[in-house]
């Protein structure tokens, strides 16, 4: 798992905690190396990075076809490196809660990525709230029509 992005995620996790955003945004690390990143390795990484599982999750895809579909969907390039590791384009992928890619942001602009995620979460909450209000309004109108 990428230690460079891990240090960025540590900073993001701290900001999420400080701002009380745990119920609005989260972090997800994905391993590209299921052969080496087994459950024990992922657990060790989580411990080393001091991951708060309420904020930051980690997983790997053991099926290479699923992994390739994910990489292709998010424009991630992964190449084998000389020491048995992997090189990849480092970016932060801001996603909606339903898995839709919202924006790809350079990993050094992590504060912008967090602000983008917060704005997306707020927009989603507003849309749900509006939908509930419309549903309540429709239900009230239906009740009124039924009463006639």
């Amino acid at each position: 798992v990428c230690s460079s992005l891990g240090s960025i995620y540590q900073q993001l996790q701290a900001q999420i905690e400080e701002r009380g955003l745990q119920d609005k945004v989260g972090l997800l690390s994905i391993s590209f190396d299921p052969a080496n990143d087994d459950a024990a390795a992922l657990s060790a990484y989580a411990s080393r990075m001091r991951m708060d599982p309420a904020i930051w999750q980690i997983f790997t895809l053991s099926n290479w076809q699923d992994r390739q579909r994910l990489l292709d969907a998010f424009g991630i390039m992964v190449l084998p490196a000389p020491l048995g590791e992997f090189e990849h384009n480092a970016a932060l992928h801001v996603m909606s809660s339903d898995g839709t890619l919202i924006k790809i942001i350079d990993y050094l602009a992590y504060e912008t990525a967090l602000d983008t995620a917060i704005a997306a979460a707020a927009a989603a909450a507003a849309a749900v709230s509006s939908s509930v209000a419309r549903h309540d309004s429709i239900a009230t109108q239906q009740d009124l029509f039924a009463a006639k």
Side-chain angles (χ1 to χ4, degrees):
V1 185
C2 182
S3 294
S4 296
L5 282 177
S7 65
I8 296 295
Y9 272 38
Q10 285 177 316
Q11 295 174 58
L12 285 166
Q13 178 177 259
Q15 286 189 26
I16 291 167
E17 288 174 340
E18 289 169 12
R19 296 166 69 176
L21 299 169
Q22 297 91 322
D23 62 337
K24 305 224 181 308
V25 296
L27 304 170
L28 178 64
S29 290
I30 303 169
S31 163
F32 307 126
D33 186 10
N36 292 310
D37 290 340
D38 60 10
L42 294 179
S43 180
Y45 178 81
S47 179
R48 189 171 66 252
M49 292 291 138
R50 296 184 182 98
M51 286 184 184
D52 177 347
I55 297 172
W56 187 0
Q57 299 286 313
I58 186 169
F59 77 95
T60 189
L61 295 168
S62 57
N63 180 295
W64 71 269
Q65 293 163 324
D66 291 340
R67 192 169 51 256
Q68 193 58 53
R69 275 193 292 275
L70 177 80
L71 296 173
D72 292 345
F74 292 104
I76 301 170
M77 303 297 293
V78 179
L79 303 170
L83 300 176
E85 297 177 338
F86 291 92
E87 294 289 331
H88 61 89
N89 49 334
L92 300 171
H93 295 72
V94 180
M95 299 171 42
S96 67
S97 60
D98 68 358
T100 302
L101 178 63
I102 296 171
K103 192 169 189 177
I104 300 173
I105 299 173
D106 183 82
Y107 76 102
L108 295 176
Y110 62 89
E111 291 175 344
T112 300
L114 181 56
D115 290 341
T116 302
I118 293 166
V128 167
S129 182
S130 174
S131 174
V132 169
R134 280 195 306 270
H135 178 70
D136 288 347
S137 174
I138 290 168
T140 301
Q141 290 171 0
Q142 289 172 344
D143 290 343
L144 290 174
F145 288 126
K148 289 183 177 179

